[in-house]
Amino acid sequence: METIWLYTALPLVIVILSLKFFSTRHRNLPPSPVPALPVIGHLHLLKPPVHRIFSKISQKYGPIFSLQFGTRLVVVVSSRSLVEECFTKNDIVLANRPRLLIGKYLGYNYTNMVTSPYSDHWRNLRRLGSVEIFSAGRLNKFLSVRKDEIKRLVLKLAENSRHDFVKVEMKSRLAELSFNIIMRMVAGKRYFGEDEDYDEAKRFRGLIKEMVKSGGVSYPGDFMPVLRWMDYQNFEKNVAVVFEKMDAFLEGLIDEHRRNKNDNTMIDHLLSFQESQPEYYTDQIIKGIIMVMLTAGTDTSSVTIEWAFSLLLNHPEVLEKARAEIEAQVGSDRLIDEHDLSNLPYLHNIILETLRLYPAAPMLVPHESSADCKIGGYNIPRGTILLVNAWAIHRDPNVWDDPTSFKPERFEGVEVEPSKLMPFGMGRRSCPGSGLAQRVVGLTLGSLIQSFDWKRISEEEIDLAEGKGVTMPKVKPLEAVCKARSMVDKVV
Ligand code: HEM
């Protein structure tokens, strides 16, 4: 009997004591909120919107704290000075990404720009991105695509609103706009609205729905290897099936462009590189780039426009001021163009203020430490996942006056330091698509303000609650009423 006790309970006691010994205090880890539950640790805290939960924890435990997500140590930072420390002194060490399940599939086995570890491969991708995809020259090449899609949206909204105010649902229209812009830049395809190849468009839309439904971004097996090993609820199998279908679809697009060579889209451009360097520009790399454009470049922009519009409808005086600026700088004989954006500082400040209050990636994208380092005097062991609560910093009363109010004027004549406002992240892993995003958001918002009178659907303010989802969507999709202004018929 005693022997059994010795062989079963004693090792358990030893494990518990060692865990206690190596607890956060002994290892000088950032403080950790209790209780961490057995096996899952603090995973039970992850209820959306997560940035609000983390913000509450940081108010109690300070601007840096650690959590245990299953077997993974996670550190969350929520202050300006600590973020500066992360992305200046420790930028290289923290430039890795955790290997989450989503990266195996959507990230093409961790080889695309978002999910790749910090490596020569990632540096090559970023170089390719900054010269061949996101440079001003490349973006200008697709200016007509962006203008055409926005013009189509203006025409669609004007269809029934020339004589009276009509109710419009904005969320899906903006999502379709951003998908069409990206897919036309990438492959010359419109998958939403008229001019679409019906069957192909239907397949694409179905796949996007399936990808969203597969829930790959919030997979508990990422933190509990036993679940991944058992493939709990066939999770990985289901993600793999959806991914395979999307992969085949993208391969089809590449083959189509290989057959009908021209120089109009990103796929054509990348295929021309493939001809000279087939070993590097493989189909997998090209598909990885398309997948990045689709996953990182669509919702982020459309959600930002939706938030901006919601804020403007709750602040009609700001909307009026933006329109007055557009009228003074652009007039009403033509639609606003991308080259006008630099002459519209108030519109720019509205976008900054929207990204401050409602950043589409409120916790940025998870980073991982590739070596031991220190943040705020605490030890951060190699392999720690780092989350940055940009949302909390953007609303920190020590950083911003009257932080929860929508006041685009706060940016007038002010150069904002990156550690105060970081909707696109900071350091070497920051967003390479920020220039494209600012063009799409600026041009869409400006055109809609210029072309329509806008009102809320009732006296009630637009509900600004944040819902579930990686890109911080609104709980209630935006609806508004609009009436086309007389200039619309002249300009579109
Ligand atoms: C990464 C925000 C639009 C492509 C990121 C990150 C943020 C972000 C916060 C992570 C930074 C970090 O890890 O610290 C946004 C916002 C957007 C937007 C708020 C729109 C309003 C776009 C667009 C594209 C794009 C239009 C491309 C079409 C990427 C890529 C990365 C990234 C490829 C990964 C960079 C890397 O890991 O090296 N973005 N983004 N984003 N974004 Fe964006």
Side-chain angles (χ1 to χ4, degrees):
M1 183 68 191
E2 271 165 5
T3 335
I4 291 171
W5 189 91
L6 207 68
Y7 281 108
T8 53
L10 192 60
L12 204 67
V13 171
I14 292 171
V15 169
I16 291 168
L17 287 178
S18 358
L19 281 178
K20 244 185 150 17
F21 180 77
F22 286 112
S23 71
T24 50
R25 194 168 334 149
H26 286 284
R27 292 156 70 197
N28 189 32
L29 296 178
S32 185
V34 279
L37 300 180
V39 186
I40 64 167
H42 296 102
L43 277 174
H44 63 289
L45 296 175
L46 294 184
K47 293 189 190 102
V50 169
H51 52 270
R52 283 194 184 265
I53 307 253
F54 287 167
S55 179
K56 273 208 187 108
I57 297 176
S58 76
Q59 278 159 19
K60 190 161 173 203
Y61 288 88
I64 177 165
F65 59 89
S66 59
L67 298 170
Q68 196 66 42
F69 287 181
T71 56
R72 301 294 310 262
L73 179 67
V74 176
V75 165
V76 183
V77 300
S78 339
S79 86
R80 222 191 125 177
S81 57
L82 290 175
V83 166
E84 234 161 52
E85 205 182 323
C86 290
F87 297 124
T88 50
K89 199 173 94 191
N90 291 312
D91 193 30
I92 294 185
V93 173
L94 295 172
N96 246 350
R97 297 278 189 219
R99 281 172 75 86
L100 307 177
L101 179 80
I102 192 88
K104 180 171 167 191
Y105 294 99
L106 297 193
Y108 280 92
N109 210 15
Y110 311 98
T111 59
N112 81 358
M113 212 187 284
V114 185
T115 57
S116 162
Y118 181 64
S119 56
D120 283 345
H121 171 72
W122 172 83
R123 272 186 289 277
N124 283 338
L125 280 179
R126 286 291 295 228
R127 220 170 292 132
L128 171 78
S130 60
V131 180
E132 305 296 346
I133 300 174
F134 301 114
S135 65
R138 276 276 131 203
L139 293 183
N140 287 343
K141 200 164 177 269
F142 297 108
L143 171 61
S144 58
V145 165
R146 296 188 288 278
K147 279 170 66 170
D148 182 58
E149 282 303 326
I150 290 167
K151 203 164 147 178
R152 283 168 186 260
L153 174 63
V154 168
L155 269 177
K156 190 90 204 141
L157 292 177
E159 239 168 42
N160 302 317
S161 70
R162 281 197 169 77
H163 306 295
D164 211 346
F165 278 95
V166 294
K167 186 165 146 186
V168 285
E169 191 275 310
M170 294 300 286
K171 184 192 166 86
S172 60
R173 288 176 194 275
L174 295 171
E176 292 176 15
L177 169 89
S178 61
F179 262 112
N180 277 342
I181 289 179
I182 293 290
M183 279 318 272
R184 280 180 73 181
M185 288 171 65
V186 167
K189 304 274 187 178
R190 277 194 104 235
Y191 286 142
F192 295 89
E194 310 87 26
D195 292 359
E196 50 176 61
D197 171 336
Y198 185 76
D199 288 334
E200 189 177 316
K202 200 169 149 204
R203 251 180 80 213
F204 177 80
R205 294 198 299 255
L207 285 171
I208 292 290
K209 265 195 203 141
E210 278 189 63
M211 263 169 56
V212 174
K213 228 172 90 189
S214 73
V217 277
S218 48
Y219 176 49
D222 280 328
F223 308 107
M224 290 185 274
V226 68
L227 292 186
R228 188 154 180 184
W229 177 69
M230 288 163 36
D231 196 14
Y232 176 64
Q233 292 184 335
N234 287 335
F235 198 95
E236 180 161 358
K237 224 174 270 154
N238 293 338
V239 172
V241 168
V242 178
F243 167 76
E244 261 169 42
K245 288 195 246 173
M246 187 50 124
D247 177 59
F249 187 92
L250 300 184
E251 189 66 50
L253 283 182
I254 296 178
D255 282 342
E256 190 183 323
H257 283 260
R258 212 176 258 131
R259 285 192 303 272
N260 312 322
K261 278 191 184 142
N262 65 45
D263 184 30
N264 292 332
T265 67
M266 254 175 217
I267 294 184
D268 297 306
H269 194 55
L270 293 168
L271 282 174
S272 71
F273 288 123
Q274 192 177 61
E275 276 176 14
S276 50
Q277 277 176 272
E279 66 298 340
Y280 183 69
Y281 294 100
T282 58
D283 280 8
Q284 174 168 316
I285 291 294
I286 299 177
K287 285 183 284 186
I289 291 174
I290 307 176
M291 194 70 98
V292 159
M293 303 287 292
L294 279 176
T295 49
T298 50
D299 261 17
T300 42
S301 300
S302 61
V303 157
T304 303
I305 305 169
E306 198 187 346
W307 280 116
F309 243 94
S310 307
L311 289 161
L312 290 175
L313 288 167
N314 282 354
H315 296 85
E317 71 292 352
V318 177
L319 184 69
E320 272 319 305
K321 199 167 159 186
R323 173 166 308 130
E325 182 184 64
I326 295 172
E327 272 177 6
Q329 295 299 323
V330 183
S332 49
D333 293 333
R334 62 176 179 87
L335 258 191
I336 164 180
D337 205 332
E338 273 181 17
H339 66 253
D340 294 312
L341 294 176
S342 57
N343 298 322
L344 299 168
Y346 193 65
L347 181 68
H348 180 65
N349 291 344
I350 290 173
I351 297 168
L352 288 183
E353 184 68 337
T354 304
L355 288 167
R356 183 183 71 81
L357 287 168
Y358 298 98
M363 302 294 302
L364 306 186
V365 174
H367 289 240
E368 186 183 284
S369 55
S370 55
D372 295 349
C373 64
K374 278 198 186 289
I375 307 176
Y378 293 108
N379 291 340
I380 308 297
R382 175 170 178 260
T384 302
I385 295 178
L386 172 79
L387 299 177
V388 173
N389 196 343
W391 180 89
I393 296 167
H394 291 179
R395 290 171 180 240
D396 183 345
N398 298 316
V399 178
W400 300 95
D401 284 337
D402 195 6
T404 53
S405 296
F406 176 64
K407 288 185 186 164
E409 287 76 8
R410 71 173 79 238
F411 293 105
E412 269 165 23
V414 178
E415 188 74 41
V416 187
E417 296 99 313
S419 60
K420 281 177 85 172
L421 187 67
M422 62 200 83
F424 297 104
M426 261 179 87
R428 57 199 66 213
R429 288 295 309 224
S430 66
C431 177
S434 61
L436 172 59
Q438 289 181 40
R439 288 176 186 224
V440 171
V441 174
L443 196 62
T444 311
L445 205 56
S447 305
L448 294 179
I449 293 172
Q450 189 188 23
S451 309
F452 298 91
D453 288 321
W454 292 93
K455 288 197 297 199
R456 299 192 292 260
I457 51 172
S458 70
E459 289 292 296
E460 227 174 275
E461 291 225 321
I462 305 279
D463 181 349
L464 296 176
E466 305 114 48
K468 274 190 200 167
V470 215
T471 52
M472 205 170 83
K474 289 178 79 262
V475 161
K476 290 193 189 152
L478 176 64
E479 288 178 330
V481 286
C482 70
K483 182 166 181 286
R485 305 182 76 220
S486 53
M487 52 92 60
V488 165
D489 285 320
K490 268 196 287 175
V491 299
V492 290

